[in-house]
Amino acid sequence: MPKHLVAAVGVVAACALGTGSAEAATLDAKVAVTPNTGGSARHPQGHRVTVDASVVVPEGEFPPTLTGVELWYGPGLEFHRDGVPTCSPRVLSQGGPTACPPRSQVGQTGGGGIEPDDPVEAQPKFHLFNAPGGRMTIYATLQHPARVRAVMPGTVIDGARGAWPHRDAWTFPVTLQNVAQMPVTIGRLRFSFGGTRAAPHYVASTSCPPGGWPWRMRVHAGATVLVADGRAPCRR
């Protein structure tokens, strides 16, 4: 059966009365690091990381309801989050983004269009904040089919041994999995972080490995995990 890419530009969600199947889905992901010039241990280079991932399903099916997402980074990229203003998940939950120090926002994304035949449109917007403990928290807003605001605290593994020394992870709260008694199916995730004026070295490189900076993305749909691997091109 031919496959169909269910999404357009942005973080896009389509709500349907039935959930999509995760078993037949695959993950098509790209991670770009700009600028692509690698730094050194003495002179780290600050970067902006842009993630663009689509859940690909057979034609006529909706993407599955997502429950979480992880980003793993290989050697060569480091995270310098000390000294960057922070905003806690509690502050975000109580007052929203305007309650946070402006310089604590380190990333964002916007909504976009979806397939015209989808029965109900839902277009969440994400804002990423530096949180205590070297974590990134996502503040998500959804306007349709109902107004929803949700905070997604991040978890982080930094300095681990092995091929993936740094890992970020977020769990989608139930309020973003089911809205107005309908399951939310997200077809595409697109967001960026780092490289801000307030935190130019939030993400920085100390080397340019042969073949580029390795990355891995894991998207959770219940018990199913969709995985994509790649390398972000770099030059010395």
Side-chain angles (χ1 to χ4, degrees), residues 218-234:
R218 291 162 52 92
V219 172
H220 296 256
T224 301
V225 181
L226 309 177
V227 181
D229 291 301
R231 287 180 176 267
C234 64

Side-chain angles (χ1 to χ4, degrees), residues 155-176:
T155 59
V156 63
I157 298 176
D158 203 358
R161 296 181 179 179
W164 308 103
H166 186 95
R167 307 175 188 180
D168 283 307
W170 300 270
T171 298
F172 288 92
V174 175
T175 51
L176 289 182

Side-chain angles (χ1 to χ4, degrees), residues 89-126:
R90 179 181 60 83
V91 171
L92 273 171
S93 296
Q94 294 177 349
T98 57
C100 296
R103 294 164 67 91
S104 65
Q105 183 171 341
V106 295
Q108 65 181 356
T109 188
I114 64 173
E115 291 295 310
D117 294 333
D118 291 342
V120 181
E121 297 182 5
Q123 300 174 2
K125 295 183 178 180
F126 286 8

Side-chain angles (χ1 to χ4, degrees), residues 19-231:
T19 59
S21 172
E23 297 179 357
T26 59
L27 182 63
D28 180 15
K30 297 179 181 178
V31 175
V33 178
T34 53
N36 66 350
T37 302
S40 65
R42 295 185 62 182
H43 301 285
Q45 171 67 55
H47 300 284
R48 186 172 188 83
V49 177
T50 300
V51 179
D52 189 353
S54 297
V55 177
V56 183
V57 296
E59 185 175 1
E61 294 188 14
F62 288 102
T65 297
L66 304 186
T67 55
V69 60
E70 301 176 45
L71 285 175
W72 296 8
Y73 316 88
L77 291 179
E78 295 184 352
F79 291 77
H80 301 276
R81 296 173 177 179
D82 293 340
V84 180
T86 63
C87 187
S88 69
R90 179 181 60 83
V91 171
L92 273 171
S93 296
Q94 294 177 349
T98 57
C100 296
R103 294 164 67 91
S104 65
Q105 183 171 341
V106 295
Q108 65 181 356
T109 188
I114 64 173
E115 291 295 310
D117 294 333
D118 291 342
V120 181
E121 297 182 5
Q123 300 174 2
K125 295 183 178 180
F126 286 8
H127 296 271
L128 287 78
F129 291 86
N130 186 47
R135 305 176 181 182
M136 276 192 293
T137 294
I138 295 177
Y139 184 86
T141 58
L142 187 67
Q143 302 294 339
H144 189 67
R147 184 171 179 81
V148 176
R149 299 174 182 177
V151 175
M152 299 166 55
T155 59
V156 63
I157 298 176
D158 203 358
R161 296 181 179 179
W164 308 103
H166 186 95
R167 307 175 188 180
D168 283 307
W170 300 270
T171 298
F172 288 92
V174 175
T175 51
L176 289 182
Q177 297 179 34
N178 191 293
V179 177
Q181 298 183 342
M182 291 184 293
V184 175
T185 59
I186 299 177
R188 190 171 188 179
L189 294 170
R190 189 177 191 277
F191 57 91
S192 60
F193 56 89
T196 64
R197 290 186 178 181
H201 289 85
Y202 194 75
V203 182
S205 66
T206 55
S207 66
C208 175
W213 294 298
W215 57 265
R216 171 172 292 174
M217 188 171 190
R218 291 162 52 92
V219 172
H220 296 256
T224 301
V225 181
L226 309 177
V227 181
D229 291 301
R231 287 180 176 267

